[in-house]
Amino acid sequence: MGGKNTTEYIPECRSMNFSVYSGMLDRYKDSEDIMKSCQDGGLNGLEVILAGESDQGKIKPEMVNGVHLYFHIFWMDFWKGDYDRLDREFDSRQQWIDYYGGTDRECYLNCLRRDLDYAEKIGAKYVVFHVSEVTLRESYTYQYKYTNEEVIDASLEVINTLLDEREYPFDFLVENLWWSGLTMKEPALTKKLVEGIHSSHKGIMLDTGHFMNTNSDLKTPEDAVAYINQMLDAHEEAGFPITDWIKGLHLQMSLSGDYVKKQKADWKEQPIDFDNVPFYDLFQLAYQHACDIDLHQPFCGQGVKELINRIKPDYVTFEYQQNSREEYEGFVKKQSALLGYI
């Protein structure tokens, strides 16, 4: 990461997040239309996540900067073979077998292998892997079975199983969330994770909004900038200069503290009776709950540009919740204008 001392730092890869499914693809006529949307907003490619659907011929190799790997938000019980707990989380054993595609670790690993193969075939410069674990129930209670370190240890098992099989040409980046796992709040665990990955092509994809979600007292973009800078300082003071390892940013803002505080208060008064809610009904509720926590809005405010200049990432992805192409393009242009990309 050394040598990037320009005052006006423009990352090499500037991407918009793109889910490869009909709801996103249908907004665009063809690959040229997608790239025009990127370029008009100062971006030069996509960070794609595969959703099991055809890309309709609209995603060309030269368009893809990065690939976000397949993930389950809860996978530790499956990985560790805690079938009894899975039986309690799901409506039946057959339901979770169908959900995961089987009963052994290879089912999970094969999904990741497919995405890694796709990334290599399409020429992606990096891939992203979530280091996190939360069950649907835990997302409401904030009481986690697995500690941050246990999730990191299990994630290293997964990552190194895959990376020891073959040498991939792209950067393998681990992403933080606010649940158990890589939270970026414990420098010793960040260091353990990064140093434990069996690859020289490794680094961190810092999701700025996910980190904001670890502090429900943040109110303004400036609060968020200060909070992220404090995290960077803490890692440096602990002897792990984190900006050497943050190769990418998922740039987004999530100031959802008021929602989180209200939800916790409401929970005390009227918790969900989990045992009487079918699994997929709870899945929908928990998905909306996660979206209400993780807002994915443009990160605009004093100090944002300077923060990116401090980190100097190779890859920046604008990752937004949006309801239409027009809304998304408006968000992208607002962010890019602040950063000097347009």
Side-chain angles (χ1 to χ4, degrees), residues 206 208-209 211-213 215 217-234 249 251-255 298-311 335 338-339:
L206 173 63
T208 54
F211 186 64
M212 294 175 208
N213 294 338
N215 183 349
D217 290 329
L218 302 177
K219 299 291 186 185
T220 68
E222 290 72 27
D223 290 343
V225 168
Y227 185 56
I228 295 169
N229 274 309
Q230 288 167 12
M231 177 271 288
L232 301 178
D233 293 342
L249 291 179
L251 194 66
Q252 57 118 336
M253 184 176 71
S254 180
L255 299 175
F299 188 13
C300 296
Q302 289 187 350
V304 174
K305 187 174 182 179
E306 291 76 12
L307 176 65
I308 295 175
N309 286 344
R310 176 181 180 181
I311 296 172
Q335 188 76 72
L338 176 79
L339 300 178

Coordinates of all heavy atoms in Angstrom, one line a residue, residues 206 208-209 211-213 215 217-234 249 251-255 298-311 335 338-339:
L206 N -13.0 -2.8 4.3 CA -13.6 -2.1 5.4 C -15.0 -1.6 5.0 O -15.0 -0.7 4.1 CB -12.8 -0.9 5.9 CG -13.4 0.0 7.0 CD1 -13.7 -0.7 8.2 CD2 -12.5 1.2 7.2
T208 N -17.6 0.8 5.8 CA -17.7 2.0 6.8 C -19.0 2.0 7.5 O -19.1 2.2 8.7 CB -17.5 3.3 6.0 OG1 -18.5 3.3 4.9 CG2 -16.1 3.4 5.5
G209 N -20.1 1.6 6.8 CA -21.4 1.6 7.5 C -21.5 0.5 8.5 O -22.1 0.7 9.6
F211 N -19.1 -0.7 10.3 CA -18.4 -0.2 11.5 C -19.2 0.8 12.3 O -19.3 0.8 13.5 CB -17.1 0.3 11.1 CG -16.2 0.7 12.3 CD1 -15.8 -0.3 13.2 CD2 -15.9 2.0 12.6 CE1 -15.1 0.0 14.4 CE2 -15.2 2.3 13.8 CZ -14.8 1.3 14.6
M212 N -19.9 1.7 11.6 CA -20.8 2.6 12.3 C -21.9 1.9 13.1 O -22.3 2.4 14.2 CB -21.5 3.6 11.3 CG -20.6 4.5 10.5 SD -21.5 5.4 9.2 CE -20.2 5.7 8.0
N213 N -22.3 0.8 12.6 CA -23.4 0.0 13.3 C -22.9 -0.6 14.6 O -23.7 -1.1 15.4 CB -23.9 -1.1 12.4 CG -24.6 -0.6 11.2 OD1 -25.1 0.5 11.2 ND2 -24.7 -1.5 10.2
N215 N -21.7 1.3 16.9 CA -21.9 2.5 17.9 C -23.2 3.2 17.6 O -23.3 4.0 16.7 CB -20.7 3.4 17.7 CG -20.7 4.6 18.7 OD1 -21.7 4.8 19.4 ND2 -19.6 5.3 18.8
D217 N -24.5 5.5 19.2 CA -24.5 6.9 19.6 C -24.1 7.9 18.5 O -24.2 9.1 18.7 CB -23.6 7.1 20.8 CG -24.1 6.5 22.1 OD1 -25.3 6.4 22.2 OD2 -23.3 6.0 22.9
L218 N -23.7 7.4 17.4 CA -23.3 8.3 16.3 C -24.5 9.0 15.7 O -25.6 8.4 15.5 CB -22.6 7.5 15.2 CG -21.4 6.7 15.5 CD1 -20.9 5.9 14.3 CD2 -20.3 7.6 16.1
K219 N -24.4 10.3 15.5 CA -25.5 11.1 15.0 C -25.3 11.7 13.6 O -26.2 11.9 12.8 CB -25.8 12.2 16.0 CG -26.2 11.7 17.4 CD -27.5 11.1 17.4 CE -28.0 10.7 18.8 NZ -29.2 9.9 18.8
T220 N -24.1 12.0 13.3 CA -23.8 12.8 12.1 C -22.7 12.1 11.3 O -21.9 11.3 11.8 CB -23.3 14.2 12.4 OG1 -22.0 14.2 13.1 CG2 -24.4 14.9 13.3
P221 N -22.5 12.5 10.0 CA -21.4 11.9 9.2 C -20.1 12.3 9.9 O -19.1 11.5 9.8 CB -21.5 12.6 7.9 CG -23.0 13.0 7.8 CD -23.4 13.3 9.2
E222 N -20.0 13.5 10.5 CA -18.7 13.9 11.1 C -18.4 13.0 12.3 O -17.3 12.7 12.6 CB -18.8 15.3 11.5 CG -18.8 16.3 10.3 CD -20.1 16.3 9.5 OE1 -21.2 16.0 10.1 OE2 -20.1 16.6 8.3
D223 N -19.5 12.6 13.1 CA -19.3 11.6 14.2 C -18.7 10.3 13.6 O -17.8 9.7 14.2 CB -20.6 11.3 14.9 CG -21.2 12.5 15.7 OD1 -20.5 13.4 16.0 OD2 -22.4 12.4 16.0
A224 N -19.3 9.9 12.5 CA -18.8 8.6 11.9 C -17.4 8.7 11.5 O -16.6 7.8 11.7 CB -19.7 8.3 10.7
V225 N -17.0 9.8 10.8 CA -15.6 10.0 10.4 C -14.7 9.9 11.6 O -13.6 9.2 11.5 CB -15.4 11.3 9.6 CG1 -14.0 11.7 9.4 CG2 -16.2 11.3 8.3
A226 N -15.0 10.6 12.7 CA -14.2 10.6 13.9 C -14.1 9.2 14.4 O -13.0 8.8 14.9 CB -14.8 11.6 14.9
Y227 N -15.2 8.5 14.4 CA -15.2 7.1 15.0 C -14.3 6.2 14.2 O -13.6 5.4 14.7 CB -16.6 6.6 15.0 CG -16.9 5.3 15.7 CD1 -16.5 5.1 17.0 CD2 -17.5 4.3 15.0 CE1 -16.7 3.8 17.6 CE2 -17.7 3.0 15.6 CZ -17.3 2.8 16.9 OH -17.6 1.6 17.5
I228 N -14.4 6.3 12.9 CA -13.5 5.4 12.0 C -12.0 5.8 12.2 O -11.2 4.9 12.3 CB -13.9 5.6 10.5 CG1 -15.3 5.0 10.4 CG2 -12.9 4.8 9.6 CD1 -16.0 5.3 9.0
N229 N -11.8 7.1 12.3 CA -10.4 7.5 12.5 C -9.9 7.0 13.9 O -8.7 6.6 14.0 CB -10.2 9.1 12.4 CG -10.0 9.6 11.0 OD1 -9.1 9.1 10.3 ND2 -10.8 10.5 10.6
Q230 N -10.7 7.0 14.9 CA -10.3 6.4 16.2 C -10.0 5.0 16.1 O -9.0 4.5 16.7 CB -11.4 6.6 17.2 CG -11.6 8.1 17.6 CD -13.0 8.3 18.4 OE1 -13.6 7.3 18.8 NE2 -13.3 9.5 18.6
M231 N -10.7 4.2 15.2 CA -10.4 2.8 15.0 C -9.1 2.6 14.4 O -8.3 1.8 14.7 CB -11.5 2.2 14.2 CG -11.3 0.7 13.9 SD -10.4 0.5 12.3 CE -11.7 1.0 11.1
L232 N -8.8 3.5 13.3 CA -7.5 3.4 12.7 C -6.4 3.7 13.6 O -5.4 3.0 13.7 CB -7.5 4.4 11.5 CG -8.5 4.2 10.4 CD1 -8.4 5.3 9.3 CD2 -8.5 2.8 9.8
D233 N -6.6 4.7 14.5 CA -5.6 5.1 15.5 C -5.3 3.9 16.5 O -4.2 3.6 16.8 CB -6.0 6.3 16.3 CG -6.1 7.6 15.4 OD1 -5.5 7.6 14.3 OD2 -6.8 8.6 15.8
A234 N -6.4 3.3 16.9 CA -6.3 2.2 17.9 C -5.5 1.1 17.3 O -4.7 0.5 18.1 CB -7.7 1.8 18.3
L249 N -12.7 -0.4 0.3 CA -13.8 0.2 1.1 C -15.1 -0.1 0.5 O -15.3 0.0 -0.7 CB -13.6 1.7 1.2 CG -12.5 2.3 2.0 CD1 -12.5 3.8 1.9 CD2 -12.5 1.9 3.4
L251 N -18.0 1.8 0.7 CA -18.3 3.2 1.2 C -19.8 3.4 1.3 O -20.5 3.4 0.3 CB -17.7 4.2 0.3 CG -17.6 5.6 0.8 CD1 -16.6 5.7 2.0 CD2 -17.1 6.6 -0.3
Q252 N -20.3 3.5 2.5 CA -21.7 3.7 2.8 C -21.8 4.3 4.2 O -20.9 4.2 5.0 CB -22.5 2.5 2.7 CG -22.1 1.3 3.6 CD -23.1 0.9 4.5 OE1 -24.0 1.6 4.9 NE2 -23.0 -0.4 5.0
M253 N -22.9 4.9 4.5 CA -23.2 5.5 5.8 C -24.4 4.8 6.4 O -25.4 4.6 5.7 CB -23.4 7.0 5.7 CG -23.6 7.7 7.0 SD -23.8 9.5 6.8 CE -25.4 9.6 6.0
S254 N -24.3 4.5 7.7 CA -25.4 3.9 8.4 C -25.5 4.5 9.8 O -24.7 4.1 10.7 CB -25.3 2.4 8.5 OG -26.3 1.8 9.2
L255 N -26.3 5.5 10.0 CA -26.5 6.2 11.3 C -27.9 5.8 11.8 O -28.9 6.5 11.7 CB -26.4 7.7 11.1 CG -25.0 8.2 10.6 CD1 -25.1 9.7 10.4 CD2 -23.9 7.8 11.6
P298 N -25.4 7.2 1.0 CA -24.2 7.9 0.7 C -23.5 8.5 1.9 O -24.2 9.0 2.8 CB -24.6 9.0 -0.3 CG -25.9 8.5 -0.9 CD -26.6 7.7 0.2
F299 N -22.2 8.4 2.0 CA -21.4 8.8 3.1 C -20.8 10.2 2.7 O -19.7 10.3 2.2 CB -20.3 7.8 3.4 CG -19.5 8.1 4.7 CD1 -19.9 9.0 5.6 CD2 -18.4 7.3 4.9 CE1 -19.2 9.2 6.8 CE2 -17.6 7.5 6.1 CZ -18.1 8.5 7.0
C300 N -21.6 11.2 3.0 CA -21.2 12.6 2.6 C -21.1 13.5 3.9 O -22.1 13.5 4.7 CB -22.2 13.2 1.6 SG -22.2 12.3 0.1
G301 N -20.0 14.2 4.0 CA -19.9 15.1 5.2 C -18.4 15.5 5.3 O -17.6 15.0 4.5
Q302 N -18.2 16.4 6.2 CA -16.8 16.9 6.3 C -15.9 15.8 6.8 O -16.2 15.0 7.7 CB -16.8 18.0 7.3 CG -17.4 19.3 6.8 CD -17.2 20.5 7.8 OE1 -16.8 20.3 8.9 NE2 -17.5 21.7 7.3
G303 N -14.8 15.6 6.2 CA -13.8 14.7 6.6 C -13.8 13.3 5.9 O -12.9 12.5 6.0
V304 N -14.9 13.1 5.1 CA -15.0 11.8 4.4 C -13.8 11.7 3.3 O -13.2 10.6 3.2 CB -16.3 11.7 3.7 CG1 -16.4 10.4 2.8 CG2 -17.4 11.6 4.7
K305 N -13.6 12.7 2.6 CA -12.6 12.7 1.5 C -11.2 12.5 2.2 O -10.4 11.7 1.7 CB -12.6 14.0 0.7 CG -11.7 14.0 -0.5 CD -12.0 15.3 -1.3 CE -11.1 15.4 -2.5 NZ -11.4 16.6 -3.3
E306 N -11.0 13.2 3.3 CA -9.7 13.1 4.0 C -9.5 11.7 4.6 O -8.4 11.2 4.6 CB -9.6 14.2 5.1 CG -9.5 15.6 4.6 CD -10.8 16.2 4.1 OE1 -11.9 15.5 4.3 OE2 -10.8 17.2 3.4
L307 N -10.6 11.1 5.0 CA -10.5 9.7 5.5 C -10.1 8.8 4.4 O -9.2 7.9 4.7 CB -11.9 9.3 6.1 CG -12.0 7.8 6.5 CD1 -11.2 7.6 7.8 CD2 -13.5 7.5 6.8
I308 N -10.6 8.9 3.2 CA -10.2 8.0 2.1 C -8.8 8.3 1.8 O -8.0 7.4 1.4 CB -11.2 8.2 1.0 CG1 -12.6 7.7 1.4 CG2 -10.7 7.4 -0.3 CD1 -13.6 7.9 0.3
N309 N -8.4 9.6 1.8 CA -7.0 9.9 1.5 C -6.0 9.3 2.5 O -4.9 8.9 2.2 CB -6.8 11.4 1.5 CG -7.3 12.0 0.2 OD1 -7.6 11.4 -0.8 ND2 -7.5 13.4 0.2
R310 N -6.5 9.1 3.8 CA -5.7 8.5 4.8 C -5.5 7.0 4.5 O -4.4 6.5 4.7 CB -6.3 8.7 6.2 CG -5.5 8.0 7.3 CD -6.2 8.2 8.7 NE -5.4 7.5 9.7 CZ -5.7 7.5 11.0 NH1 -6.7 8.1 11.4 NH2 -4.9 6.8 11.8
I311 N -6.6 6.4 4.2 CA -6.6 4.9 4.0 C -5.9 4.5 2.6 O -5.2 3.6 2.5 CB -8.0 4.4 4.1 CG1 -8.6 4.6 5.5 CG2 -8.0 2.9 3.7 CD1 -10.0 4.2 5.6
Q335 N -22.1 11.0 -4.2 CA -20.8 10.6 -3.5 C -19.6 10.9 -4.3 O -18.6 11.4 -3.8 CB -20.9 9.1 -3.3 CG -19.8 8.5 -2.5 CD -20.0 8.8 -1.0 OE1 -20.8 8.2 -0.3 NE2 -19.2 9.7 -0.5
L338 N -18.5 14.6 -4.2 CA -17.8 14.9 -2.9 C -16.3 14.4 -3.0 O -15.4 15.1 -2.5 CB -18.5 14.2 -1.7 CG -17.8 14.4 -0.4 CD1 -18.1 15.7 0.2 CD2 -18.2 13.3 0.6
L339 N -16.1 13.3 -3.6 CA -14.8 12.7 -3.6 C -13.9 13.1 -4.8 O -12.7 12.8 -4.9 CB -14.9 11.2 -3.7 CG -15.6 10.6 -2.4 CD1 -15.7 9.1 -2.6 CD2 -14.9 11.0 -1.1

